[in-house]
Coordinates of all heavy atoms in Angstrom, one line a residue:
L178 N 1.3 44.2 -29.1 CA 1.7 45.6 -29.3 C 1.4 46.4 -28.1 O 2.2 47.3 -27.7 CB 1.0 46.2 -30.5 CG 1.6 45.9 -31.9 CD1 0.9 46.7 -32.9 CD2 3.1 46.3 -31.9
S179 N 0.3 46.2 -27.4 CA -0.1 47.1 -26.3 C 0.9 46.8 -25.1 O 1.2 47.8 -24.4 CB -1.5 46.8 -25.8 OG -1.6 45.5 -25.3
V180 N 1.4 45.6 -25.0 CA 2.3 45.3 -23.9 C 3.7 45.9 -24.2 O 4.4 46.3 -23.3 CB 2.4 43.8 -23.7 CG1 3.6 43.4 -22.8 CG2 1.1 43.2 -23.2
L181 N 4.0 46.0 -25.5 CA 5.3 46.5 -25.9 C 5.4 48.0 -26.2 O 6.3 48.5 -26.9 CB 5.8 45.8 -27.2 CG 6.1 44.3 -26.9 CD1 6.4 43.6 -28.3 CD2 7.3 44.1 -26.0
Q182 N 4.4 48.8 -25.7 CA 4.5 50.2 -25.8 C 5.7 50.8 -25.2 O 6.3 51.7 -25.8 CB 3.2 50.9 -25.2 CG 1.9 50.7 -26.0 CD 2.0 51.2 -27.4 OE1 2.4 52.3 -27.6 NE2 1.6 50.4 -28.4
D183 N 6.1 50.3 -24.1 CA 7.4 50.8 -23.5 C 8.6 50.6 -24.4 O 9.4 51.5 -24.5 CB 7.6 50.1 -22.1 CG 8.9 50.5 -21.5 OD1 9.1 51.7 -21.2 OD2 9.8 49.7 -21.3
Q184 N 8.6 49.5 -25.0 CA 9.7 49.2 -26.0 C 9.8 50.3 -27.1 O 10.8 50.8 -27.4 CB 9.6 47.8 -26.6 CG 10.7 47.6 -27.7 CD 10.5 46.3 -28.4 OE1 11.2 45.3 -28.2 NE2 9.5 46.3 -29.3
R185 N 8.6 50.6 -27.6 CA 8.5 51.5 -28.7 C 9.1 52.9 -28.3 O 9.9 53.4 -29.0 CB 7.1 51.6 -29.2 CG 6.9 52.7 -30.3 CD 5.5 52.7 -30.9 NE 5.4 51.5 -31.7 CZ 4.7 50.4 -31.3 NH1 4.2 50.4 -30.1 NH2 4.6 49.4 -32.1
Y186 N 8.5 53.4 -27.2 CA 8.9 54.8 -26.9 C 10.4 54.8 -26.3 O 11.0 55.9 -26.5 CB 7.9 55.3 -25.8 CG 6.6 55.6 -26.5 CD1 5.5 54.8 -26.2 CD2 6.4 56.7 -27.3 CE1 4.3 55.0 -26.8 CE2 5.2 56.9 -27.9 CZ 4.1 56.1 -27.7 OH 2.9 56.4 -28.3
T187 N 10.8 53.8 -25.7 CA 12.2 53.8 -25.3 C 13.2 53.7 -26.4 O 14.1 54.4 -26.5 CB 12.4 52.6 -24.3 OG1 11.6 52.7 -23.2 CG2 13.9 52.5 -23.8
S188 N 12.9 52.8 -27.4 CA 13.8 52.6 -28.5 C 13.9 53.9 -29.4 O 14.9 54.2 -30.0 CB 13.4 51.4 -29.4 OG 12.1 51.6 -30.0
L189 N 12.8 54.6 -29.4 CA 12.8 55.8 -30.3 C 13.6 57.0 -29.7 O 13.9 58.0 -30.4 CB 11.3 56.4 -30.4 CG 10.5 55.6 -31.4 CD1 9.0 56.1 -31.5 CD2 11.1 55.7 -32.8
Q190 N 14.1 56.8 -28.5 CA 15.1 57.7 -27.9 C 16.4 57.6 -28.5 O 17.3 58.5 -28.4 CB 15.2 57.6 -26.4 CG 13.9 57.8 -25.6 CD 14.0 57.5 -24.2 OE1 15.1 57.7 -23.6 NE2 12.9 57.0 -23.5
H191 N 16.7 56.5 -29.2 CA 18.0 56.3 -29.9 C 18.0 57.1 -31.1 O 17.0 57.2 -31.9 CB 18.1 54.8 -30.2 CG 19.5 54.4 -30.6 ND1 20.1 54.7 -31.7 CD2 20.4 53.7 -29.8 CE1 21.3 54.2 -31.8 NE2 21.5 53.6 -30.6
D192 N 19.1 57.8 -31.4 CA 19.3 58.7 -32.5 C 19.0 58.0 -33.8 O 18.5 58.7 -34.8 CB 20.7 59.3 -32.5 CG 20.9 60.2 -31.3 OD1 19.9 60.7 -30.7 OD2 22.1 60.5 -30.9
D193 N 19.4 56.8 -34.0 CA 19.2 56.1 -35.3 C 17.9 55.4 -35.5 O 17.6 54.9 -36.6 CB 20.3 55.0 -35.4 CG 21.7 55.6 -35.3 OD1 21.9 56.8 -35.7 OD2 22.7 54.9 -34.9
A194 N 17.1 55.3 -34.4 CA 15.9 54.4 -34.5 C 14.9 54.8 -35.5 O 14.4 54.0 -36.3 CB 15.3 54.4 -33.1
L195 N 14.5 56.1 -35.5 CA 13.4 56.5 -36.3 C 13.7 56.4 -37.8 O 12.9 55.8 -38.6 CB 13.0 58.0 -36.0 CG 11.6 58.4 -36.6 CD1 11.0 59.5 -35.6 CD2 11.7 59.0 -38.0
G196 N 14.8 56.9 -38.2 CA 15.2 56.8 -39.6 C 15.4 55.4 -40.1 O 14.9 55.0 -41.2
A197 N 16.0 54.5 -39.2 CA 16.2 53.1 -39.6 C 14.8 52.4 -39.7 O 14.6 51.6 -40.6 CB 17.0 52.4 -38.5
A198 N 13.9 52.7 -38.9 CA 12.6 52.1 -38.9 C 11.8 52.4 -40.2 O 11.2 51.6 -40.8 CB 11.7 52.5 -37.7
I199 N 11.8 53.7 -40.6 CA 11.1 54.1 -41.8 C 11.7 53.4 -43.0 O 11.0 52.9 -43.9 CB 11.2 55.6 -41.9 CG1 10.2 56.3 -40.9 CG2 10.8 56.1 -43.3 CD1 10.2 57.8 -40.9
N200 N 13.1 53.3 -43.1 CA 13.7 52.6 -44.2 C 13.3 51.2 -44.2 O 13.1 50.6 -45.3 CB 15.2 52.8 -44.1 CG 15.7 54.2 -44.4 OD1 15.0 55.0 -45.1 ND2 16.8 54.6 -43.9
C201 N 13.3 50.5 -43.0 CA 12.9 49.1 -42.9 C 11.5 48.9 -43.4 O 11.2 47.9 -44.1 CB 13.1 48.6 -41.5 SG 14.9 48.2 -41.2
H202 N 10.6 49.8 -43.0 CA 9.2 49.7 -43.4 C 9.1 49.7 -44.9 O 8.3 48.9 -45.5 CB 8.4 50.8 -42.8 CG 8.2 50.7 -41.3 ND1 7.6 51.8 -40.6 CD2 8.4 49.7 -40.4 CE1 7.6 51.4 -39.3 NE2 8.1 50.2 -39.2
R203 N 9.8 50.6 -45.6 CA 9.8 50.6 -47.0 C 10.3 49.3 -47.6 O 9.7 48.7 -48.5 CB 10.7 51.8 -47.5 CG 11.0 51.7 -49.0 CD 9.8 51.7 -49.9 NE 8.9 52.9 -49.8 CZ 7.8 53.0 -50.5 NH1 7.4 52.0 -51.3 NH2 7.1 54.1 -50.4
R204 N 11.3 48.7 -47.1 CA 11.9 47.5 -47.6 C 10.9 46.3 -47.3 O 10.8 45.4 -48.2 CB 13.2 47.2 -47.0 CG 14.3 48.1 -47.5 CD 15.7 47.6 -47.1 NE 15.9 47.4 -45.7 CZ 16.4 48.4 -44.9 NH1 16.7 49.6 -45.4 NH2 16.6 48.2 -43.6
I205 N 10.3 46.3 -46.2 CA 9.3 45.3 -45.9 C 8.1 45.4 -46.9 O 7.7 44.3 -47.4 CB 8.8 45.4 -44.4 CG1 9.9 45.1 -43.4 CG2 7.6 44.5 -44.2 CD1 9.6 45.5 -42.0
F206 N 7.6 46.6 -47.1 CA 6.5 46.7 -48.0 C 6.9 46.3 -49.4 O 6.2 45.6 -50.1 CB 6.0 48.2 -48.1 CG 5.0 48.4 -49.2 CD1 3.7 48.0 -49.0 CD2 5.4 48.9 -50.4 CE1 2.8 48.2 -50.0 CE2 4.5 49.1 -51.4 CZ 3.2 48.7 -51.2
D207 N 8.1 46.7 -49.9 CA 8.5 46.3 -51.2 C 8.6 44.8 -51.4 O 8.3 44.3 -52.4 CB 9.9 47.0 -51.5 CG 9.8 48.5 -51.7 OD1 8.7 49.0 -51.9 OD2 10.9 49.1 -51.7
A208 N 9.1 44.1 -50.3 CA 9.2 42.7 -50.4 C 7.8 42.0 -50.5 O 7.6 41.1 -51.2 CB 9.9 42.1 -49.2
I209 N 6.9 42.5 -49.7 CA 5.5 42.0 -49.7 C 4.8 42.2 -51.1 O 4.2 41.4 -51.6 CB 4.6 42.6 -48.6 CG1 5.2 42.1 -47.2 CG2 3.2 42.2 -48.7 CD1 4.5 42.8 -46.0
A210 N 5.0 43.5 -51.6 CA 4.4 43.8 -52.9 C 5.0 43.0 -54.0 O 4.3 42.7 -55.0 CB 4.7 45.3 -53.1
A211 N 6.3 42.6 -53.8 CA 6.9 41.7 -54.9 C 6.6 40.3 -54.7 O 7.1 39.4 -55.4 CB 8.4 41.9 -54.8
R212 N 5.8 40.0 -53.7 CA 5.4 38.6 -53.3 C 6.7 37.7 -53.1 O 6.8 36.6 -53.6 CB 4.6 37.9 -54.4 CG 3.3 38.7 -54.8 CD 2.3 38.7 -53.6 NE 0.9 39.0 -54.1 CZ 0.4 40.2 -54.2 NH1 1.2 41.3 -54.0 NH2 -0.8 40.4 -54.6
D213 N 7.6 38.3 -52.4 CA 8.9 37.6 -52.1 C 9.0 37.3 -50.6 O 9.4 38.1 -49.8 CB 10.1 38.5 -52.5 CG 11.4 37.8 -52.4 OD1 11.5 36.8 -51.6 OD2 12.4 38.3 -53.0
P214 N 8.5 36.1 -50.2 CA 8.4 35.7 -48.8 C 9.7 35.7 -48.0 O 9.8 36.1 -46.9 CB 7.7 34.4 -48.8 CG 7.9 33.8 -50.1 CD 8.0 35.0 -51.1
D215 N 10.8 35.2 -48.7 CA 12.1 35.1 -48.1 C 12.6 36.5 -47.7 O 13.1 36.8 -46.6 CB 13.1 34.4 -49.0 CG 12.8 32.9 -49.1 OD1 12.1 32.4 -48.2 OD2 13.3 32.3 -50.1
R216 N 12.4 37.4 -48.7 CA 12.9 38.8 -48.4 C 12.0 39.5 -47.4 O 12.6 40.2 -46.5 CB 12.9 39.6 -49.7 CG 13.4 41.0 -49.6 CD 14.0 41.5 -50.9 NE 13.1 41.5 -52.0 CZ 12.4 42.6 -52.4 NH1 12.7 43.8 -51.8 NH2 11.6 42.5 -53.4
A217 N 10.7 39.3 -47.4 CA 9.8 39.9 -46.5 C 10.2 39.4 -45.0 O 10.2 40.2 -44.1 CB 8.4 39.6 -46.8
E218 N 10.4 38.1 -44.9 CA 10.8 37.6 -43.6 C 12.1 38.2 -43.1 O 12.2 38.6 -42.0 CB 10.9 36.1 -43.7 CG 11.4 35.4 -42.4 CD 11.5 33.9 -42.5 OE1 10.8 33.3 -43.4 OE2 12.3 33.3 -41.8
A219 N 13.1 38.2 -44.0 CA 14.4 38.7 -43.6 C 14.4 40.2 -43.2 O 15.0 40.6 -42.2 CB 15.4 38.5 -44.8
E220 N 13.6 41.0 -44.0 CA 13.5 42.4 -43.7 C 12.8 42.7 -42.3 O 13.2 43.5 -41.5 CB 12.8 43.2 -44.8 CG 13.6 43.2 -46.1 CD 14.9 44.0 -46.0 OE1 15.2 44.6 -44.9 OE2 15.7 44.0 -46.9
M221 N 11.7 41.9 -42.1 CA 11.0 42.1 -40.8 C 11.9 41.6 -39.7 O 11.9 42.3 -38.6 CB 9.7 41.2 -40.8 CG 8.9 41.4 -39.6 SD 8.3 43.1 -39.3 CE 6.9 43.1 -40.4
R222 N 12.6 40.6 -39.8 CA 13.5 40.1 -38.8 C 14.6 41.1 -38.5 O 14.9 41.4 -37.3 CB 14.2 38.8 -39.2 CG 15.0 38.1 -38.1 CD 15.6 36.8 -38.5 NE 14.6 35.9 -38.9 CZ 14.0 35.1 -38.0 NH1 14.3 35.2 -36.7 NH2 13.1 34.2 -38.4
R223 N 15.1 41.7 -39.5 CA 16.2 42.7 -39.4 C 15.6 44.0 -38.6 O 16.2 44.5 -37.7 CB 16.7 43.2 -40.7 CG 17.6 44.4 -40.7 CD 18.0 44.7 -42.1 NE 18.8 46.0 -42.2 CZ 19.3 46.5 -43.3 NH1 19.1 45.9 -44.5 NH2 20.0 47.6 -43.3
H224 N 14.4 44.4 -39.0 CA 13.7 45.5 -38.4 C 13.5 45.3 -36.9 O 13.9 46.2 -36.1 CB 12.4 45.8 -39.1 CG 11.6 46.9 -38.5 ND1 12.1 48.1 -38.0 CD2 10.2 46.9 -38.3 CE1 11.1 48.8 -37.5 NE2 10.0 48.1 -37.6
L225 N 12.9 44.2 -36.5 CA 12.6 44.0 -35.1 C 13.8 43.7 -34.3 O 13.9 44.1 -33.1 CB 11.6 42.8 -35.0 CG 10.3 43.0 -35.7 CD1 9.4 41.8 -35.4 CD2 9.6 44.3 -35.1
T226 N 14.8 43.2 -34.9 CA 16.1 43.0 -34.2 C 16.8 44.3 -33.9 O 17.3 44.6 -32.8 CB 17.1 42.1 -35.0 OG1 16.5 40.8 -35.2 CG2 18.4 41.9 -34.3
D227 N 16.7 45.3 -34.9 CA 17.1 46.6 -34.7 C 16.4 47.3 -33.5 O 17.0 47.9 -32.7 CB 17.0 47.5 -35.9 CG 18.0 47.1 -37.0 OD1 19.0 46.4 -36.7 OD2 17.8 47.6 -38.2
V228 N 15.1 47.2 -33.5 CA 14.3 47.8 -32.5 C 14.7 47.3 -31.1 O 14.9 48.1 -30.1 CB 12.8 47.5 -32.7 CG1 11.9 48.0 -31.5 CG2 12.3 48.2 -34.0
E229 N 14.9 46.0 -31.0 CA 15.3 45.4 -29.7 C 16.7 45.9 -29.3 O 17.0 46.3 -28.2 CB 15.4 43.9 -29.8 CG 14.0 43.2 -30.0 CD 14.2 41.7 -30.1 OE1 15.2 41.1 -29.7 OE2 13.2 41.1 -30.6
T230 N 17.6 46.0 -30.3 CA 19.0 46.5 -30.0 C 18.9 48.0 -29.5 O 19.6 48.3 -28.5 CB 19.8 46.5 -31.3 OG1 19.9 45.1 -31.7 CG2 21.2 47.0 -31.0
Y231 N 18.1 48.8 -30.1 CA 18.0 50.2 -29.7 C 17.4 50.3 -28.3 O 17.8 51.1 -27.5 CB 17.1 51.0 -30.7 CG 17.7 51.1 -32.1 CD1 16.9 51.1 -33.2 CD2 19.1 51.3 -32.3 CE1 17.4 51.2 -34.5 CE2 19.6 51.4 -33.6 CZ 18.7 51.3 -34.6 OH 19.2 51.4 -35.9
Y232 N 16.4 49.4 -28.0 CA 15.7 49.4 -26.7 C 16.7 49.1 -25.6 O 16.8 49.9 -24.6 CB 14.6 48.4 -26.7 CG 14.0 48.2 -25.3 CD1 13.1 49.1 -24.9 CD2 14.3 47.2 -24.5 CE1 12.5 49.0 -23.6 CE2 13.8 47.0 -23.3 CZ 12.9 47.9 -22.8 OH 12.3 47.7 -21.6
W233 N 17.5 48.0 -25.8 CA 18.4 47.6 -24.7 C 19.6 48.6 -24.6 O 20.2 48.8 -23.5 CB 18.9 46.2 -24.9 CG 17.7 45.2 -24.7 CD1 17.1 44.5 -25.7 CD2 17.0 44.9 -23.5 NE1 16.1 43.7 -25.1 CE2 16.0 44.0 -23.8 CE3 17.2 45.4 -22.2 CZ2 15.2 43.5 -22.8 CZ3 16.3 44.9 -21.2 CH2 15.3 44.0 -21.6
D234 N 20.0 49.2 -25.7 CA 21.0 50.2 -25.6 C 20.6 51.4 -24.8 O 21.4 51.9 -23.9 CB 21.4 50.7 -27.1 CG 22.6 51.6 -27.1 OD1 23.6 51.3 -26.3 OD2 22.6 52.6 -27.8
I235 N 19.4 51.9 -25.0 CA 18.9 53.0 -24.2 C 18.7 52.6 -22.7 O 19.1 53.3 -21.8 CB 17.5 53.5 -24.7 CG1 17.7 54.1 -26.1 CG2 16.9 54.5 -23.8 CD1 18.6 55.4 -26.1
R236 N 18.2 51.3 -22.5 CA 18.1 50.9 -21.1 C 19.4 50.8 -20.4 O 19.5 51.1 -19.2 CB 17.4 49.5 -21.2 CG 15.9 49.4 -21.4 CD 15.1 50.0 -20.2 NE 15.5 49.3 -19.0 CZ 15.1 48.0 -18.7 NH1 14.2 47.4 -19.4 NH2 15.5 47.5 -17.6
R237 N 20.4 50.4 -21.1 CA 21.8 50.3 -20.4 C 22.3 51.7 -20.0 O 23.0 51.8 -19.1 CB 22.8 49.6 -21.3 CG 22.6 48.1 -21.4 CD 23.8 47.5 -22.1 NE 23.8 47.8 -23.5 CZ 23.2 47.1 -24.4 NH1 22.5 46.0 -24.1 NH2 23.3 47.4 -25.7
R238 N 21.9 52.7 -20.8 CA 22.3 54.1 -20.5 C 21.6 54.7 -19.3 O 22.0 55.7 -18.8 CB 22.1 55.0 -21.7 CG 22.9 54.5 -22.9 CD 22.7 55.5 -24.0 NE 23.0 55.0 -25.3 CZ 22.8 55.7 -26.5 NH1 22.3 56.9 -26.4 NH2 23.1 55.1 -27.6
Q239 N 20.4 54.2 -19.0 CA 19.6 54.8 -17.9 C 20.2 54.5 -16.6 O 20.8 53.5 -16.3 CB 18.1 54.2 -18.0 CG 17.4 54.6 -19.2 CD 16.0 53.8 -19.3 OE1 15.8 52.8 -18.7 NE2 15.1 54.4 -20.1
P240 N 20.0 55.5 -15.6 CA 20.5 55.3 -14.3 C 20.0 54.0 -13.6 O 18.8 53.6 -13.9 CB 20.0 56.6 -13.5 CG 19.7 57.5 -14.6 CD 19.3 56.8 -15.8
K241 N 20.8 53.4 -12.8 CA 20.4 52.1 -12.2 C 19.1 52.3 -11.4 O 18.2 51.4 -11.3 CB 21.5 51.6 -11.2 CG 22.7 51.2 -12.0 CD 22.5 50.0 -12.8 CE 23.8 49.5 -13.4 NZ 23.6 48.3 -14.3
A242 N 18.9 53.5 -10.8 CA 17.7 53.7 -9.9 C 16.4 53.6 -10.7 O 15.4 53.3 -10.1 CB 17.8 55.0 -9.2
S243 N 16.5 54.0 -12.0 CA 15.2 54.0 -12.7 C 15.0 52.7 -13.6 O 14.1 52.6 -14.3 CB 15.3 55.2 -13.7 OG 16.3 55.0 -14.6
S244 N 16.0 51.8 -13.5 CA 15.8 50.6 -14.3 C 14.8 49.7 -13.6 O 14.5 49.8 -12.5 CB 17.2 49.9 -14.4 OG 17.6 49.5 -13.1
Q245 N 14.3 48.8 -14.5 CA 13.2 47.9 -14.0 C 13.9 46.8 -13.2 O 15.1 46.4 -13.3 CB 12.5 47.3 -15.2 CG 11.7 48.3 -15.9 CD 11.3 47.8 -17.3 OE1 12.0 47.1 -17.9 NE2 10.1 48.2 -17.7
K246 N 13.1 46.2 -12.3 CA 13.6 45.1 -11.4 C 13.8 43.9 -12.2 O 13.1 43.6 -13.2 CB 12.6 44.8 -10.3 CG 12.4 46.0 -9.4 CD 11.4 45.7 -8.3 CE 11.2 46.8 -7.3 NZ 10.2 46.5 -6.3
E247 N 14.8 43.1 -11.8 CA 15.0 41.8 -12.4 C 13.9 40.9 -12.0 O 13.4 40.9 -11.0 CB 16.4 41.2 -11.9 CG 17.5 42.0 -12.4 CD 17.8 41.9 -13.9 OE1 17.3 41.0 -14.5 OE2 18.5 42.8 -14.4

Side-chain angles (χ1 to χ4, degrees):
L178 275 187
S179 68
V180 172
L181 290 175
Q182 287 300 314
D183 175 64
Q184 174 189 255
R185 172 173 293 98
Y186 289 106
T187 299
S188 64
L189 283 176
Q190 296 175 35
H191 196 286
D192 293 339
D193 299 332
L195 195 150
I199 288 178
N200 289 334
C201 279
H202 289 170
R203 166 55 66 179
R204 292 195 297 271
I205 292 167
F206 172 79
D207 288 345
I209 293 173
R212 304 293 200 276
D213 186 338
D215 290 340
R216 182 153 60 99
E218 175 181 335
E220 293 295 352
M221 182 62 81
R222 186 181 298 278
R223 172 182 175 181
H224 174 42
L225 296 182
T226 300
D227 284 348
V228 171
E229 292 177 22
T230 299
Y231 297 143
Y232 173 80
W233 292 111
D234 186 40
I235 293 295
R236 282 288 308 279
R237 281 191 293 271
R238 300 181 198 177
Q239 292 174 340
K241 294 294 184 180
S243 65
S244 64
Q245 295 165 324
K246 295 179 180 178
E247 293 290 341

